[in-house]
Amino acid sequence: MKKTSAAKAFYELMSSMRFAISLLTILAIASVIGTVLRQNEPFNAYLNQFGPFWFPIFERLGLYGVYNAGWFLAILGFLVLSTSLCITRQTRPMIKEMRSFKEHAREASLRLFKLHAEAPAEAAPSPAAARDYLAKAGFRLREHQRDDGVLIAAKRGSWSRVGYFFAHGGMVIICLGGLLDGNLPLKLQMALGGKQTTASDQLIVDIPQSSRLGVDNWSFRGNVYIPEGRSADMAVLREGDGILLQELPFDISLKKFHIEHYDTGQPKRFASDIIITDKKTGTSEARTIEVNKPFEIHGVSLYQASFEDGGSRLQLRAHDLQPGAYAPADIQGIVGERGKLSGAGYAYTIEFTGFRAINVETVGDQPAGRGGIAGLQDRLGSGARASDHKTQQNVGPNFTYKLRDSAGQAREFTNYMLPVEQDGRWFMLAGMREEAAQSFRYLRIPTDEEGRIDQWFQIRSLLLDKTIQPKLAKRFALLASGQSSEGSTRLEETTLRTIKLFADKGFESLGAFIDKSIPKAEQERAAGIFLQVLEGVAWQAWQVSREQAGLAPLAASPARAQYIRDTLNAVSDAFHYGAPVILQLNGFEHVQASVLQATKSPGKNWVFLGSLLLTLGVFAMLYVRERRLFLLLKRDGTALLAMSANRVSMDVEQEFARHRGVLLGEKPISGESE
């Protein structure tokens, strides 16, 4: 008995309309999340957006792929079961209700109708006249002889109940289509067919067979990456933090990728000129695919999704940040490939990860300069923290790369080819971040009067060279003391100590020294003196670099003084750059790549059919009214007319008044509802 009761309770729950509506509400909320939050993006993008705390929580909830999440598919399945049981449960009583004329209705029941009226014998119609009128009015009727007279039961619009079956059947079909187009077939293959995801950072030839799906796969949604002049026949399906390869029944060759930009540099239009070759027949077809203009072949729809770099060739100059003689070297790189980068005391694997010829970035402005200890703190680690002042501008070509050490730890860098103007001065931007969840922090290297950054590297190299520091201190001391030997010696010692402090960790070590060694009341004045000394030494380093190059000395000017201050800021920031070398982009050979989305959706037509049925069903239930009219012609000659509808409204009352006027005359004796 307990098992029977439990099964009955389960059936009652699953066939309950409340349960189905609850499931539908949850699906609606989940669909809102799936619409607001971009789905099936790389996990690094979500980590960067939500941070290390919320990222794993949202991952466990399956919010990065809502429509493919197990709980979403389970709710869809329960909704199909629940709605199907609702239909099954209501079919017999509803069909019975549609067939029934209720010709056995009692007089007392008819008098309880809101719309009812009576007429005397002289106003009552004959049965034949009543039947003829109701038939012409579109009613189907049935006549029943009984003890108290003749009851004519008529009805119209009973087929509106078909709307119930259409609406609920449409929901079932839509959910089934959603299950077909979701990754339920893929999950079944992974559970029963031995398929499993693999890491994304592999060559296609290295991906095992267990991570490949055949052309007979029911449904899928993946991206096809095609560089210009090359072809592809595989789509990449993202599943969690791994990938699967989906074989396509055709080859796609990219002839040309087109892209147009707004004045701001943002993409306005992009399209792909492709050639599709059928693997079975060998026939080819040329097509141009644009955004919102897909192309379908063999049940697979191709959409223009995005674009990426297709392996651009980069000409780079490597600027060594190690102290000593400054000697840049020219190297080359190809986006998507790896190489070795080594020098005195370091060895890295370099991975070129991206290139963009037009780049719109949000760039921070240089903080306004202040004097004393506040001025030092303005500069402490400024390359290691973001600015509060942001502007968005097109900064020209840039490329990204990673430097990976022997332990496998990597930092990501992004460098720009052209200088960027900030506060009327020009800087070359070199960005760095240690984790994908962080934003890039930019080192701002000032350009000289010729728009180059080589001068900054030369000055920095001299400032950090322990063999050159005494010479710089002596030159500054002699100039500042007016050639006085006694004053020059003391100033030279102070200057050399200042240079060595700055050469440790920039303004950070100098500020720590001031905080530790100088009384609070004197710190601001001392900071100002140290800054003046450093600016004078940097000026001498600039002059020395010109002497070494055989150039004439420079005359002081406000612009050159500002360049020296920017140089010191950048030298201090470079201690936080996190790499012993900076790569500068000098030239490139741009290769574009198109990213097409390949989608196979066998449930799409079922969803369309279900949507049509749902629309028709809702329309029928809302706008088609079932009306039942009862005319009791009693043996004493009087008549009782009653009418009911599934929704009583003003037009139903008006219709009843018309029928009453014809069947009972204009003046019923009692019981009417106006």
Side-chain angles (χ1 to χ4, degrees):
M1 292 294 293
K2 289 183 178 180
K3 290 184 178 180
T4 304
S5 299
K8 184 177 180 181
F10 178 77
Y11 174 78
E12 292 291 335
L13 173 65
M14 294 300 298
S15 61
S16 168
M17 184 59 67
R18 292 181 180 179
F19 183 70
I21 292 175
S22 300
L23 294 178
L24 192 60
T25 302
I26 297 174
L27 287 179
I29 296 173
S31 298
V32 171
I33 297 174
T35 302
V36 174
L37 179 62
R38 295 187 63 177
Q39 301 290 287
N40 300 314
E41 293 288 306
F43 274 17
N44 284 342
Y46 297 119
L47 181 61
N48 188 29
Q49 181 177 359
F50 299 114
F53 178 77
W54 289 108
F55 169 76
I57 296 177
F58 292 163
E59 181 187 4
R60 288 184 177 275
L61 293 175
L63 300 187
Y64 306 140
V66 171
Y67 306 114
N68 296 327
W71 57 267
F72 187 88
L73 297 177
I75 293 175
L76 270 182
F78 275 110
L79 184 58
V80 169
L81 178 61
S82 177
T83 309
S84 300
L85 290 177
C86 284
I87 296 174
T88 303
R89 185 177 183 179
Q90 297 295 327
T91 296
R92 286 189 63 186
M94 196 164 291
I95 292 178
K96 183 178 180 181
E97 179 73 12
M98 292 174 62
R99 291 178 175 177
S100 172
F101 284 84
K102 298 184 178 180
E103 66 272 18
H104 298 286
R106 294 178 299 175
E107 180 179 352
S109 299
L110 298 179
R111 293 183 182 277
L112 294 177
F113 284 18
K114 179 182 178 181
L115 301 176
H116 72 278
E118 294 184 76
E122 59 271 17
S126 65
R131 289 195 300 269
D132 184 61
Y133 169 74
L134 292 175
K136 290 180 179 180
F139 285 91
R140 293 187 299 123
L141 52 92
R142 182 173 294 178
E143 186 175 320
H144 177 58
Q145 298 283 343
R146 55 196 208 180
D147 294 340
D148 57 349
V150 177
L151 178 65
I152 299 176
K155 63 179 180 178
R156 187 172 70 176
S158 294
W159 66 272
S160 65
R161 297 180 182 272
V162 176
Y164 173 88
F165 297 103
F166 277 14
H168 290 73
M171 289 178 56
V172 171
I173 294 174
I174 290 173
C175 292
L176 288 174
L179 289 173
L180 286 176
D181 284 353
N183 67 347
L184 182 60
L186 178 59
K187 289 183 180 296
L188 292 175
Q189 289 192 62
M190 295 179 67
L192 305 176
K195 299 297 182 181
Q196 58 184 5
T197 61
T198 186
S200 59
D201 56 345
Q202 302 181 67
L203 297 175
I204 291 181
V205 295
D206 296 332
I207 293 180
Q209 193 62 34
S210 60
S211 300
R212 296 173 180 263
L213 304 173
V215 294
D216 56 347
N217 191 18
W218 292 359
S219 67
F220 57 83
R221 184 184 301 272
N223 290 334
V224 185
Y225 170 83
I226 319 172
E228 282 183 332
R230 300 175 63 181
S231 62
D233 64 347
M234 292 285 183
V236 178
L237 280 58
R238 291 194 174 275
E239 181 69 19
D241 58 349
I243 64 168
L244 293 162
L245 280 187
Q246 171 64 57
E247 183 182 358
L248 301 175
F250 46 80
D251 288 310
I252 309 174
S253 300
L254 179 62
K255 293 174 56 182
K256 181 67 177 177
F257 181 78
H258 305 276
I259 183 168
E260 299 175 6
H261 298 85
Y262 291 103
D263 294 338
T264 60
Q266 294 284 9
K268 177 172 64 174
R269 172 188 175 271
F270 44 93
S272 301
D273 293 338
I274 62 173
I275 297 177
I276 300 178
T277 303
D278 192 299
K279 289 183 177 179
K280 288 185 177 180
T281 63
T283 58
S284 298
E285 182 178 1
R287 284 276 180 171
T288 297
I289 298 181
E290 299 185 42
V291 177
N292 298 325
K293 294 181 180 179
F295 170 64
E296 184 172 344
I297 178 174
H298 291 306
V300 179
S301 297
L302 297 176
Y303 299 83
Q304 180 67 65
S306 62
F307 58 92
E308 291 185 8
D309 188 87
S312 297
R313 294 168 176 81
L314 311 177
Q315 290 82 47
L316 308 168
R317 171 158 289 190
H319 299 276
D320 202 332
L321 292 178
Q322 302 295 318
Y326 171 64
D330 292 329
I331 63 174
Q332 292 185 346
I334 299 178
V335 175
E337 297 188 2
R338 302 178 181 180
K340 298 295 182 181
L341 186 65
S342 59
Y346 65 87
Y348 290 96
T349 297
I350 183 170
E351 305 169 4
F352 297 98
T353 56
F355 170 80
R356 298 184 68 175
I358 297 179
N359 211 309
V360 177
E361 290 285 354
T362 300
V363 181
D365 293 332
Q366 181 81 357
R370 295 188 288 173
I373 197 68
L376 284 178
Q377 292 179 350
D378 277 341
R379 298 170 172 83
L380 289 183
S382 60
R385 61 187 178 192
S387 169
D388 294 332
H389 307 280
K390 303 291 184 181
T391 57
Q392 193 175 59
Q393 55 185 294
N394 180 11
V395 294
N398 86 315
F399 73 106
T400 56
Y401 63 98
K402 291 181 179 180
L403 291 182
R404 193 176 301 275
D405 59 22
S406 58
Q409 299 297 318
R411 285 188 174 94
E412 188 175 8
F413 300 84
T414 179
N415 294 351
Y416 295 84
M417 183 175 183
L418 302 177
V420 175
E421 183 181 11
Q422 293 182 340
D423 297 332
R425 306 180 320 265
W426 293 87
F427 300 88
M428 194 72 74
L429 300 181
M432 184 275 292
R433 64 182 178 188
E434 296 176 347
E435 299 177 359
Q438 299 175 343
S439 299
F440 281 106
R441 306 185 298 273
Y442 291 97
L443 172 65
R444 294 177 286 266
I445 304 175
T447 60
D448 59 18
E449 296 169 354
E450 298 178 358
R452 299 166 57 87
I453 60 174
D454 300 73
Q455 188 64 69
W456 178 83
F457 283 100
Q458 293 168 1
I459 295 175
R460 178 185 178 277
S461 179
L462 293 173
L463 288 175
L464 302 186
D465 192 338
K466 295 180 179 179
T467 63
I468 302 296
Q469 289 172 355
K471 179 181 178 180
L472 296 176
K474 186 172 183 178
R475 285 178 61 121
F476 171 75
L478 288 174
L479 182 64
S481 62
Q483 306 299 324
S484 170
S485 60
E486 182 178 354
S488 172
T489 302
R490 291 197 302 271
L491 182 56
E492 181 179 343
E493 293 174 355
T494 302
T495 302
L496 183 58
R497 188 161 53 247
T498 302
I499 298 174
K500 289 183 177 180
L501 280 171
F502 183 75
D504 182 22
K505 290 183 180 179
F507 287 120
E508 182 177 349
S509 56
L510 194 58
F513 172 79
I514 293 175
D515 286 337
K516 181 179 179 181
S517 306
I518 298 178
K520 283 285 185 183
E522 299 293 328
Q523 285 184 355
E524 185 172 349
R525 177 174 174 274
I529 293 174
F530 280 129
L531 286 174
Q532 290 178 4
V533 170
L534 283 174
E535 289 173 3
V537 171
W539 175 260
Q540 293 302 320
W542 192 357
Q543 300 287 26
V544 169
S545 70
R546 291 183 63 84
E547 291 173 6
Q548 292 176 348
L551 300 175
L554 290 174
S557 69
R560 289 167 178 167
Q562 182 62 58
Y563 175 78
I564 288 297
R565 288 190 287 272
D566 293 336
T567 293
L568 290 173
N569 291 337
V571 171
S572 178
D573 294 346
F575 288 104
H576 302 275
Y577 186 63
V581 65
I582 293 178
L583 298 183
Q584 180 187 5
L585 179 62
N586 284 340
F588 59 87
E589 181 183 341
H590 194 194
V591 179
Q592 296 271 27
S594 178
V595 179
L596 305 178
Q597 185 181 85
T599 303
K600 188 175 183 181
S601 305
K604 178 176 63 176
N605 294 331
W606 291 104
V607 171
F608 290 156
L609 175 61
S611 300
L612 176 62
L613 291 177
L614 180 61
T615 303
L616 293 175
V618 171
F619 180 86
M621 289 190 295
L622 291 179
Y623 297 103
V624 178
R625 296 182 178 90
E626 180 188 48
R627 284 146 295 177
R628 291 181 179 269
L629 191 143
F630 300 90
L631 179 61
L632 177 60
L633 301 174
K634 295 189 286 187
R635 294 194 180 278
D636 60 3
T638 61
L640 173 63
L641 180 68
M643 184 175 178
S644 67
N646 52 357
R647 289 183 305 279
V648 177
S649 59
M650 185 178 297
D651 60 334
V652 174
E653 294 178 355
Q654 293 173 351
E655 182 181 353
F656 176 72
R658 291 196 305 271
H659 297 321
R660 182 192 64 190
V662 174
L663 294 172
L664 304 183
E666 293 297 332
K667 296 181 179 180
I669 59 176
S670 64
E672 67 257 342
S673 297
E674 300 295 346

